[in-house]
């Protein structure tokens, strides 16, 4: 039958006894204010839905949800664009062949997201989003999601981790978002980005060593992809390591596109179209970033945050052709090595600013 888990009081704990797993064949509904669920995972064999009471739902505990139904299931999140409402904790997907898990609305995950097997369908509800918040881990086998958001709430430094053996393919929009003074990092594994990438900072505060150690491979085939950043420099929602290797179609840059790691462009059929963007390098976790691949840029910026010493290695044989301005901030803490930067605007009026 159907099961509803809802606790009206803040931080109340529901405990599932060990050896007596809760198996829900109907609809599993979860809500409450910072609800804590301990014990073995809940086996959801039917639909799963967040109870929309304006609370933050199943936020923590040792339990989780094991999605293992043999029929199609719908996983429905909160009916609101506000991230952090309707949170689900520790999700494992282990569906047998012949059935699909359909994602509906905004499903926010806290804890571990593990994919073992099955079909995840995000096209049935094409505006659906999976949002990872509060230091989530993505584990299990390689899998694809459509629209994915990595989030850091205000006042927090949040590190999301993708297991080294896991590749997450994002076929729609990939969004990195910090709220307020939050700061976002993504560590370890690989994201293959087939669609657009959005960088959304909070209040624009500049901080050190954000971005993370994960690798984003931008490799959409035959489609135009765009990385869209804000209208000014920020170091809160940065790209980690980036590899651009598009078999076909171009990559547009828009706004301030800020990288906190390596930037590797593999020239192929797909070109980088800089528009009037600024490609900014803000320093990596290790203090050293590598840049490779001949590429045309509009504005180029190297920024070592105050008090930091960062090295940017441009690969031998690589030329960064800057159409307008080259800006180097905190010059005392910024080292540029090896390759070539050619400041060559159409009117030969490109400028170099060292601050």
């Amino acid at each position: 039958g159907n099961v509803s888990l809802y606790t009206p009081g803040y931080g109340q704990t529901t405990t599932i006894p060990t050896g007596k797993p809760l198996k829900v064949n109907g609809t599993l509904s979860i809500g409450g204010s910072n609800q804590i669920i301990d014990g073995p995972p809940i086996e959801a064999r039917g639909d799963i839905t967040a109870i929309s009471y304006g609370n933050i739902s199943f936020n923590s505990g040792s339990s989780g949800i094991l999605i293992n139904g043999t029929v199609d299931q719908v996983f429905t999140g909160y009916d609101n664009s506000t991230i952090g409402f309707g949170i689900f904790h520790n999700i494992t997907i282990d569906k047998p062949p012949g059935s699909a898990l359909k994602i509906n609305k905004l499903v926010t995950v806290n804890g571990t997201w593990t994919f073992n097997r099955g079909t995840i369908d995000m096209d049935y509800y094409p505006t659906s989003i999976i949002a990872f918040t509060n230091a989530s881990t993505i584990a299990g086998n390689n899998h694809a999601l459509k629209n994915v958001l990595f989030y850091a709430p205000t006042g927090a430094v949040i590190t999301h981790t993708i297991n080294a053996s896991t590749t997450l393919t994002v076929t729609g929009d990939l969004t990195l978002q910090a709220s307020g003074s939050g700061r976002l990092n993504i560590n370890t594994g690989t994201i293959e980005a087939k669609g657009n990438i959005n960088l959304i900072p909070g209040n624009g505060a500049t901080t050190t060593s954000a971005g993370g150690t994960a690798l984003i491979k931008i490799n959409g085939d035959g489609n135009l992809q765009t990385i869209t950043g804000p209208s000014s420099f920020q170091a809160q929602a940065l790209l980690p390591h980036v590899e651009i290797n598009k078999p076909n179609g171009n990559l547009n840059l828009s706004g301030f596109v800020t990288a906190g790691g390596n930037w590797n462009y593999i020239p192929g059929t797909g070109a980088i179209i800089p528009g009037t963007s600024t490609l900014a390098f803000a320093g990596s976790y290790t203090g050293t970033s590598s840049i490779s691949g001949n590429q045309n840029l509009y504005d180029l910026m190297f920024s070592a945050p105050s008090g930091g010493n960062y090295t940017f290695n441009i690969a031998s044989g690589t030329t960064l052709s800057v159409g307008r301005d080259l800006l180097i901030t905190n010059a005392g803490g910024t080292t540029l090595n090896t390759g070539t930067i050619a400041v060559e605007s159409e009117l030969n009026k490109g400028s170099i600013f060292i601050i």
Side-chain angles (χ1 to χ4, degrees):
N2 301 327
V3 172
S4 178
L5 296 175
Y6 173 71
T7 56
Y10 184 86
Q12 293 187 5
T13 300
T14 300
T15 301
I16 301 170
T18 301
K20 297 181 180 180
L22 177 60
K23 301 179 181 181
V24 183
N25 293 316
T27 297
L28 171 64
S29 302
I30 296 181
S33 185
N34 197 30
Q35 182 170 188
I36 302 166
I37 303 178
D38 286 331
I42 303 166
E43 294 189 28
R45 299 173 177 179
D47 295 340
I48 307 106
T49 186
I51 302 174
S52 301
Y53 286 116
N55 313 109
I56 57 175
S57 241
F58 175 16
N59 195 46
S60 61
S62 61
S63 185
I65 301 174
L66 170 61
I67 302 173
N68 60 357
T70 59
V71 299
D72 286 358
Q73 297 172 263
V74 178
F75 193 169
T76 301
Y78 196 69
D79 191 15
N80 193 300
S81 61
T82 303
I83 305 159
F85 286 68
I87 293 175
F88 294 91
H89 186 62
N90 291 346
I91 302 298
T92 299
I93 300 166
D94 191 15
K95 288 181 63 61
S99 64
L101 175 65
K102 299 176 180 180
I103 307 298
N104 184 23
K105 300 180 182 178
L106 176 67
V107 173
T108 304
V109 178
N110 168 44
T112 300
W113 169 279
T114 303
F115 175 81
N116 292 333
R117 59 175 181 159
T119 298
I120 300 175
D121 181 359
M122 296 184 69
D123 289 320
Y124 193 85
Y125 301 101
T127 60
S128 61
I129 300 171
I130 296 288
F132 296 101
T133 186
N134 294 342
S136 297
T137 297
I138 299 171
N141 294 319
N142 299 342
H143 60 291
L145 300 173
K146 188 173 184 180
N147 301 312
V148 174
L149 187 153
F150 290 94
Y151 180 72
T154 185
V157 179
I158 297 297
T159 298
H160 301 285
T161 302
I162 302 171
N163 280 3
S165 60
T166 300
T167 295
L168 174 65
T169 299
V170 180
T171 61
D173 285 353
L174 171 63
T175 301
L176 280 56
Q177 180 176 351
S179 176
S181 60
R183 194 177 77 190
L184 176 68
N185 302 299
I186 305 175
N187 277 352
T188 308
T190 300
I191 300 172
E192 293 196 4
K194 307 291 187 180
N196 296 326
I197 300 174
N198 305 301
L199 307 177
I200 303 175
N203 57 19
T206 300
T207 54
T208 61
S209 297
T213 62
L215 173 64
I216 296 180
K217 292 185 176 182
I218 301 173
N219 58 3
D221 186 3
N223 63 305
L224 174 66
Q225 294 177 262
T226 300
I227 305 177
T228 302
S231 59
S232 60
F233 175 73
Q234 58 87 21
Q236 290 179 265
L238 308 189
L239 294 164
H241 300 312
V242 172
E243 177 185 287
I244 303 164
N245 187 12
K246 289 179 60 61
N248 293 285
N250 295 326
L251 174 66
N252 282 350
L253 304 182
S254 177
F256 274 74
V257 175
T258 307
N262 301 331
W263 178 275
N264 179 24
Y265 170 57
I266 301 173
T269 304
I272 295 177
I273 308 299
T276 57
S277 67
T278 299
L279 178 59
F281 294 95
S284 73
Y285 260 34
T286 62
T288 301
S289 297
S290 298
I291 304 162
S292 64
N294 295 337
Q295 52 200 281
N296 296 317
L297 304 170
Y298 185 69
D299 288 339
L300 176 61
M301 177 179 180
F302 295 93
S303 175
S306 179
N309 293 293
Y310 290 86
T311 299
F312 303 93
N313 293 323
I314 303 171
S316 177
T318 289
T319 298
L320 305 179
S321 300
V322 180
R324 194 177 71 160
D325 295 334
L326 170 65
L327 174 64
I328 302 172
T329 66
N330 188 20
T334 302
T335 301
L336 300 177
N337 285 336
T338 311
T340 301
I341 301 174
V343 182
E344 47 185 26
S345 71
E346 293 180 2
L347 299 178
N348 295 318
K349 294 181 180 179
S351 301
I352 300 175
F353 299 93
I354 300 177
I355 300 175

